[in-house]
């Protein structure tokens, strides 16, 4: 464990009763044939399900050469799709992060009527089909929906426009930050915050100096999951975006459309951009995360 | 001056944790809130710190009414049983926390933290994370952290409760010396009567949400106000309808004025003391003797002896239905040994 190999301050010998890092006990886990079978199953499963299709797709992407790929991803509609996707994803992730932190704190730090219901409702977006989410949003924000008319007289168009896409993306990625934070907040408990209060820190200082740093890895993970989900969301966005070329077409929509238009290499090219962004996200988290975490 | 909690009532649902409790802690002293688990002592401490709110009653800290102040405005240092270390901050930053949130100048923070780390002997460990410290070191860090912003009072909630016996004893002596140096008004909560008797200037015995007795350690040990205090502070046995400490009994090989005839049932030596179970008629009791006494009296199981409470021994008329006479509270055995040797 990194904790144990780290040089001690000023070369002082570790004191007696030095806590051992987790997993320091030898012989953890199964040994012998069980371990090899488990490993084989895991590796084969991931290979067949994830790696193989991705590798084949990457192969297809560059089948027609690099020039064709570059041309395909720099076409005006591809650039517009990438820009829109990033724009939507950033907005949705920011909203989702603020909301996620607030709700996770609410659920773990307070006891109130309706807490159980709130807790259950948070999971709803991942349980229902994204298409339903899109349709529901149209019912509320569409031209003939509850708020749609009123918003339109104010000059705000939600459905078939960017705000609708952001809304749909927020909806489908709603639980991702909350669900990462709640168990960590439960685990760290209240004592550190109480200690902070007794030491004179106000609520804002406790949030920024104690709570958020304590949950930073869970938060980073939640943000990356949200970002990946936001970039990749198809169903809900498809319903509310209307797929207007060059204005409400996100990367997944463009990929699907190119595929439907029999432009397979174009579809693979844009897919490759999405995969690359996803892998980049995972790498960033892996690099940010300290080695002694978990 | 000091800390006054007046008529504090605190309920958790139907459970009355504090039932009209009033205490008055003098400035600059080290006071122990002593009592069994669940007796309300930690709740009282948390009410004083502002971490819990009383249903009624008032709290005054150094001549300022603090009843409705949030903890961060009370100028208290609080130390938790399980350290409550800020795990993501180094030892240095942990100690500096109270100063940093008060926006003190960097140079002042550095000077003060360095000074405190020296005081708690952690100056070598400034750059470590709390996870790299032992339990005793973590608790010393927590103490330095609580002292950093120069609080008016220091509140310790079972500060040594999570440590093993040896470290606990070291830290206890160390806390006593620290207090002699720093002189900050201190209240510490403990269920360990040995710890309280050894460290505190004054004891407040709390049980079932009420204060049983207040006084100096010697006062309470020698003149307990009631059966509960007597039993909680040290070993007791019952002789002739009275509660008495088993080391406060005179034993003779022949009848003397005021003695009760009895018979030795069993002798058990533990280190430098001998525990003698005896019976006087239907009554069973026990005595704490020295190996020398046993030898001089030539005691063995079956020996007849005559017993009476020693002069000046603390005795309390026992209520018949009380706990068995030979019941000793947790840790009382150690305490009794220490008492008889001093």
């Amino acid at each position: 464990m990194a904790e144990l190999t780290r040089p001690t301050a000023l070369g002082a010998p570790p004191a007696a009763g030095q806590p051992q890092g987790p997993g320091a006990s030898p012989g953890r886990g199964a040994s012998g044939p069980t371990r090899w079978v488990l490993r084989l199953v895991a590796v084969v499963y991931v290979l067949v399900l994830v790696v193989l299709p991705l590798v084949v797709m990457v192969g297809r992407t560059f089948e027609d050469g690099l020039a064709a790929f570059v041309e395909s991803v720099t076409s005006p509609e591809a650039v517009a799709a990438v820009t829109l996707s990033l724009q939507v994803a950033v907005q949705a992730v920011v909203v989702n992060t603020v909301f996620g932190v607030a709700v996770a704190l609410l659920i773990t730090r307070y006891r109130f009527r309706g807490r159980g219901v709130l807790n259950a409702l948070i999971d709803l977006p991942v349980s229902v089909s994204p298409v339903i989410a899109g349709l529901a949003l149209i019912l509320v924000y569409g031209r003939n929906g509850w708020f749609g008319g009123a918003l339109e007289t104010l000059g705000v168009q939600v459905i078939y426009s960017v705000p609708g896409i952001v809304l749909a993306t927020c909806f489908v990625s709603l639980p991702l930050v909350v669900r990462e934070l709640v168990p960590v907040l439960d685990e760290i408990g209240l004592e550190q915050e109480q200690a902070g209060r007794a030491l004179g820190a106000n609520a804002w200082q406790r949030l920024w100096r104690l709570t958020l740093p304590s949950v930073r890895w869970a938060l980073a993970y939640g943000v990356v999951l949200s970002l990946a989900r936001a970039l990749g969301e198809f169903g809900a966005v498809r319903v509310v975006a209307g797929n207007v070329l060059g204005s409400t077409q996100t990367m997944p929509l463009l990929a699907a459309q190119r595929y439907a238009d029999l432009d397979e290499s174009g579809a693979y090219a844009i897919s490759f951009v999405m995969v690359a962004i996803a892998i980049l996200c995972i790498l960033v988290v892996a690099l940010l995360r300290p080695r002694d975490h978990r | 001056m000091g800390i006054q909690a007046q008529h504090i009532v605190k309920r958790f649902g139907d459970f009355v944790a504090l039932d009209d409790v009033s205490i008055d802690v003098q400035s600059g002293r080290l006071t122990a809130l002593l009592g069994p688990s669940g007796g309300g002592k930690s709740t009282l401490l948390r009410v004083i710190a502002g971490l819990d709110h009383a249903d009624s009653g008032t709290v005054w800290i150094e001549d300022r009414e603090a009843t409705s102040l949030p903890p961060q405005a009370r100028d208290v240092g609080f130390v938790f049983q399980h350290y409550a270390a800020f795990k993501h901050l180094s030892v240095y930053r942990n100690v500096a926390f109270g100063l940093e949130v008060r926006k003190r100048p960097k140079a002042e923070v550095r000077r003060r933290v360095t000074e405190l780390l020296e005081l708690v002997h952690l100056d070598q460990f400034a750059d470590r994370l709390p996870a790299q410290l032992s339990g005793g070191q973590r608790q010393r860090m927590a103490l330095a952290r609580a002292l950093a912003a120069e609080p008016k009072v220091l509140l310790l909630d079972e500060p040594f409760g999570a440590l093993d016996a040896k470290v606990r004893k070291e830290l206890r002596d160390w806390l006593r010396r620290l207090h002699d140096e720093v002189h900050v008004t201190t209240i510490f909560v403990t269920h360990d009567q040995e710890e309280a008797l050894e460290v505190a200037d004054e004891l407040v015995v709390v049980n079932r949400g009420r204060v049983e007795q207040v006084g100096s350690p010697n006062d309470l040990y020698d003149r307990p106000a009631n059966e509960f205090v007597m039993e909680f502070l040290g070993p007791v046995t019952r002789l002739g309808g009275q509660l008495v400490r088993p080391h406060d009994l005179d034993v003779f090989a022949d009848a003397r004025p005021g003695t009760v005839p009895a018979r030795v049932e069993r002798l058990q030596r533990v280190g430098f003391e001998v525990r003698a179970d005896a019976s006087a008629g239907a009554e069973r009791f026990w005595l704490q003797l020295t190996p020398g006494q046993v030898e001089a009296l030539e005691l063995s199981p079956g020996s007849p002896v005559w017993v009476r409470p020693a002069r000046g021994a603390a005795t309390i008329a026992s209520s018949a239905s009380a706990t068995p006479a030979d019941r000793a509270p947790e840790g009382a055995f150690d305490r009794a040994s220490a008492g008889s040797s001093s």
Side-chain angles (χ1 to χ4, degrees), chain B residues 2 40 94 111 115 176 204 212 226 268 276:
Chain B
N94 261 275
R111 188 180 49 74
E115 182 186 300
R176 181 66 248 183
V204 177
E212 298 275 357
N226 56 40
Q268 188 182 15

Side-chain angles (χ1 to χ4, degrees), chain B residues 3-16:
Chain B
I3 302 165
Q4 289 82 34
Q6 288 155 351
H7 305 293
I8 302 290
V9 176
K10 174 73 184 175
R11 292 186 195 85
F12 294 106
D14 289 341
F15 177 71
V16 182

Side-chain angles (χ1 to χ4, degrees), chain A residues 39 145 165:
Chain A
R39 252 191 218 185
I165 304 175

Side-chain angles (χ1 to χ4, degrees), chain A residues 179-241:
Chain A
R179 285 290 163 247
E180 285 297 318
L181 289 182
V182 165
V184 181
L185 282 170
D186 273 337
E187 191 194 318
I188 60 175
L190 280 174
E191 254 195 358
Q192 289 193 44
E193 277 172 52
Q194 288 182 343
R197 291 185 81 183
L199 287 168
N202 59 37
W204 191 245
Q205 288 171 322
R206 294 198 298 276
L207 177 71
W208 283 100
R209 288 169 181 264
L210 300 179
T211 312
L212 289 182
S214 307
V215 300
R216 62 195 186 278
W217 298 114
L219 185 62
Y221 200 60
V223 165
V224 168
L225 281 181
S226 296
L227 189 64
R229 183 73 211 259
L231 287 170
E233 177 52 28
F234 179 77
V237 172
R238 175 77 185 80
V239 175
V240 299

Side-chain angles (χ1 to χ4, degrees), chain B residues 107-124:
Chain B
E108 186 196 325
V109 173
R110 173 155 290 278
R111 188 180 49 74
R112 177 86 183 131
V113 173
T114 310
E115 182 186 300
L116 278 163
L117 286 178
E118 271 167 28
L119 185 72
V120 300
H121 309 300
L122 287 176
D123 36 335
Q124 291 175 51

Side-chain angles (χ1 to χ4, degrees), chain A residues 98-119 122 178 181-182 185-186 190 193 207 211:
Chain A
V98 173
F99 171 84
V101 170
V103 169
L105 285 174
L106 189 67
I107 288 177
T108 53
R109 296 296 185 249
Y110 299 92
R111 294 288 171 269
F112 53 92
R113 201 181 286 270
R115 181 171 162 271
V117 177
L118 177 68
N119 207 352
I122 295 210
V178 179
L181 289 182
V182 165
L185 282 170
D186 273 337
L190 280 174
E193 277 172 52
L207 177 71
T211 312

